[in-house]
Amino acid sequence: MPTMKDVATLAGVSTATVSRALAVGGSGVSLDTRERVLDAVKELDYHPNHLPRNLRRRSSRIFGLVISDIGNPFFTAIARGCEDTAHMHGYRLVLANTDEDAEREASALEVMAAERAGGVMLASTDQATDPIRRLLAVGIPLVALDRRIHGLHVDTVTVDNEAASYDAICHLIALGHARIAMVGGPDTVSTVRERADGYLRALRSHRLDLGDELLRRGDLRESGGYRITVELLSLPAPPTAIFSANNLTTVGVLKALRERGVRVPSDLSLIGFDDLSTGELLDPPLTAVVQPAYQLGARAAELLLRRVENPEAPVQEIVLSAKLTVRGSTGPPPGPEE
Amino acid sequence: MPTMKDVATLAGVSTATVSRALAVGGSGVSLDTRERVLDAVKELDYHPNHLPRNLRRRSSRIFGLVISDIGNPFFTAIARGCEDTAHMHGYRLVLANTDEDAEREASALEVMAAERAGGVMLASTDQATDPIRRLLAVGIPLVALDRRIHGLHVDTVTVDNEAASYDAICHLIALGHARIAMVGGPDTVSTVRERADGYLRALRSHRLDLGDELLRRGDLRESGGYRITVELLSLPAPPTAIFSANNLTTVGVLKALRERGVRVPSDLSLIGFDDLSTGELLDPPLTAVVQPAYQLGARAAELLLRRVENPEAPVQEIVLSAKLTVRGSTGPPPGPEE
DNA sequence: TTGAAAGCGCTAACAG
DNA sequence: CTGTTAGCGCTTTCAA
């Protein structure tokens, strides 16, 4: 493992000169020396060690993306957006997965803080406040991605969950549904709260008061969707439509429906928040609120880049909109005499 | 940002003592001093900076996982396995996505090398040999995951692709199929080659010589599966069965089939290599070769851990087996007079 | 344009 | 058990 010193010795210059010659642009060094340095680099097969550089500079050109579920295509699309944008500006992206677990999130953020990431994008469970403050204390820029962070005024990119959910429920109501259930998620997650808000507002504005029975909380995983659907179906008056607040949850809902022989949409209508990768392949194809996931990631990376360049820039909050894509899983409710 | 020196000053000890007190176990320090140090840490809200530590130790407790497609549930399951195992042993995991692109793979490996990861697990496109050698040159242990790395004798965890593919094709032959197509992928990827080998061996051993027409190369993405299926269907003598060598490809195949009104399995049988997350939900449910993805990741992390502890340990190659799960997408070929 | 020198914030001998 | 000291391998003043 040759070091810069070895290169310097071979090229007959000082390490300072090597450092300058190897810097982007390579200015402040004569063409001649620069060439000698480059030759030495090649001959020794020297490759820089970023650790001391980051130590000295107190930051690195690596962005961290902390997401809550790497198995969720929504987040992987986000990751792509982040990565492409970061890459274009000379930053690399590393990912950390938290599995919707506050402890794992804390651990991931601690790593980013301890390793002095150049910046972090976070889809937060909103329960790991200490590590977030630490990150900020260490001077690492943070962007809230997809989910707001309670009580923290930082750059943010989100989707207008409330409006999209409102639209989705209105679509169901327009079809004639009156008993509409929602399979939600943990209340700590801002997106889930907003989706529930949209659901409730749509019901209220149409004077449909359903009580709490039909608004349920899952875990944003398949298992939660499955469990809740089974519960909903065994209600004395089961819903005629289900609004599923997350794509993985939707898979669980579908499995439960299929298992119980409930036909979609003739027996029950279904709308998913966020699409499935195989959404179009399902029979019937899934009616879903489609989110601009890639854009979400790309914009977050842009905000982070901006913040790195100018730590004093005013805080920016970007809200993108999601739109309802009506496919085959929604239809009128079953007739009373069927 | 308080440093260790600040802690030392406040606690009235040297930085060496602080370092010792904060080390795992915290041995070699009297209980009394240890407590004073911990108090100072709390009071200053000190949090260690790993950069100098890694610099000094010449390695970090972070493993890198470099995968070729973060949107592929197979790889995300692998990531889970890696992460859980690494985490259990006090290592953190960061992910890098290469999108099956040799340049991105090179870039990811360079980052891992430059940042001195503690070890790297790689599902290689097998075209970024230079950065791989550099990683090794820098002294970072490497484990080949899912895919072999040509000409490199390192710890490896793979699946027995050849045997599993052979079984899949035999299943089709047993059902009576004679024109069986394969939608493969780039020849540089070892798994794809092995799957093609299994396909060919099964055909040969049943004296079915089909020429090259039915063995096609995609890109391991949806688009490739779609394109090739369209081509296959417009052949003078289209296949009665398709073996799709990758789960994303399978989605493309399914889309093309649906679009052309080809019914599965009555018109055409389909086997996917690797399951879809919604595999059971499809109509008909997909017959697939199911891989032990989580195990693959977990075993890779184990190998890496072992190698970190003992760089001189003999190279180990683990081969896990995948098994055919027969569901509804395979059946006898259509009768001649239908 | 170049070099000397002083760190960045930790860890690890080596003494005491 | 604790402190002193010497780095880890770069970057960046400051002078020349």
Side-chain angles (χ1 to χ4, degrees), chain B residues 250-295:
Chain B
T250 304
V251 174
V253 173
L254 279 166
K255 285 193 177 164
L257 292 178
R258 172 152 310 181
E259 206 175 285
R260 304 282 151 143
V262 177
R263 287 163 307 170
V264 175
S266 55
D267 295 336
L268 187 145
S269 286
L270 175 64
I271 295 185
F273 200 108
D274 206 43
D275 210 358
L276 297 172
S277 61
T278 51
E280 310 151 46
L281 288 177
L282 295 172
D283 192 25
L286 185 72
T287 295
V289 176
V290 178
Q291 300 191 79
Y294 182 92
Q295 276 305 317

Side-chain angles (χ1 to χ4, degrees), chain A residues 1-301:
Chain A
M1 275 191 279
T3 71
M4 192 175 263
K5 202 171 165 185
D6 300 322
V7 176
T9 307
L10 184 59
V13 297
S14 71
T15 60
T17 301
V18 176
S19 177
R20 282 189 280 253
L22 263 32
V24 279
S27 65
V29 174
S30 78
L31 236 69
D32 184 54
T33 18
R34 200 169 121 76
E35 225 158 90
R36 283 220 315 288
V37 169
L38 260 23
D39 284 351
V41 164
K42 196 157 288 172
E43 177 159 348
L44 292 171
D45 192 33
Y46 165 77
H47 291 279
N49 179 350
H50 283 184
L51 255 27
R53 154 197 304 216
N54 298 341
L55 176 58
R56 195 51 237 242
R57 294 214 181 134
R58 289 139 177 272
S59 106
S60 74
R61 286 178 80 80
I62 293 186
F63 284 160
L65 171 61
V66 181
I67 51 179
S68 52
D69 190 348
I70 197 202
N72 185 333
F74 172 63
F75 285 112
T76 57
I78 285 181
R80 282 231 161 71
C82 293
E83 190 169 32
D84 290 347
T85 305
H87 214 268
M88 246 181 287
H89 294 264
Y91 278 75
R92 299 294 166 261
L93 188 76
V94 299
L95 284 136
N97 179 42
T98 70
D99 262 342
E100 219 67 82
D101 174 327
E103 241 176 85
R104 283 183 108 116
E105 180 177 324
S107 152
L109 292 172
E110 266 153 26
V111 169
M112 303 290 172
E115 305 289 336
R116 295 296 189 268
V120 171
M121 293 167 275
L122 169 67
S124 178
T125 61
D126 208 2
Q127 297 174 289
T129 49
D130 267 17
I132 290 177
R133 306 215 166 281
R134 178 170 325 151
L135 206 66
L136 266 16
V138 172
I140 297 176
L142 175 70
V143 170
L145 176 50
D146 181 51
R147 304 172 175 185
R148 295 172 195 289
I149 301 172
H150 184 74
L152 206 63
H153 191 51
V154 294
D155 295 314
T156 305
V157 191
T158 53
V159 152
D160 192 346
N161 292 283
E162 205 272 350
S165 301
Y166 178 86
D167 291 348
I169 302 302
C170 286
H171 168 65
L172 290 171
I173 293 174
L175 285 169
H177 292 272
R179 291 191 62 72
I180 302 169
M182 170 163 176
V183 183
D187 240 6
T188 52
V189 178
S190 71
T191 51
V192 172
R193 281 199 309 274
E194 292 164 14
R195 288 168 201 173
D197 288 346
Y199 163 82
L200 291 171
R201 177 162 69 91
L203 294 182
R204 265 200 315 275
S205 74
H206 291 85
R207 311 234 175 284
L208 290 171
D209 282 323
L210 300 177
D212 294 347
E213 196 176 71
L214 294 183
L215 172 50
R216 308 242 168 173
R217 289 203 194 115
D219 53 6
L220 303 181
R221 311 270 185 78
E222 197 183 304
S223 56
Y226 179 88
R227 180 177 51 74
I228 291 175
T229 304
V230 169
E231 289 171 17
L232 287 171
L233 291 178
S234 57
L235 245 33
T240 62
I242 292 181
F243 175 48
S244 164
N246 161 277
N247 54 358
L248 266 25
T249 301
T250 305
V251 174
V253 173
L254 280 166
K255 285 193 179 165
L257 293 178
R258 172 152 310 183
E259 205 176 285
R260 304 281 151 144
V262 177
R263 288 162 307 169
V264 176
S266 56
D267 294 337
L268 187 144
S269 286
L270 174 64
I271 295 185
F273 201 108
D274 205 44
D275 210 358
L276 298 172
S277 61
T278 51
E280 309 152 44
L281 288 177
L282 294 173
D283 192 24
L286 185 72
T287 295
V289 177
V290 178
Q291 300 191 78
Y294 182 92
Q295 276 306 318
L296 218 47
R299 302 303 297 272

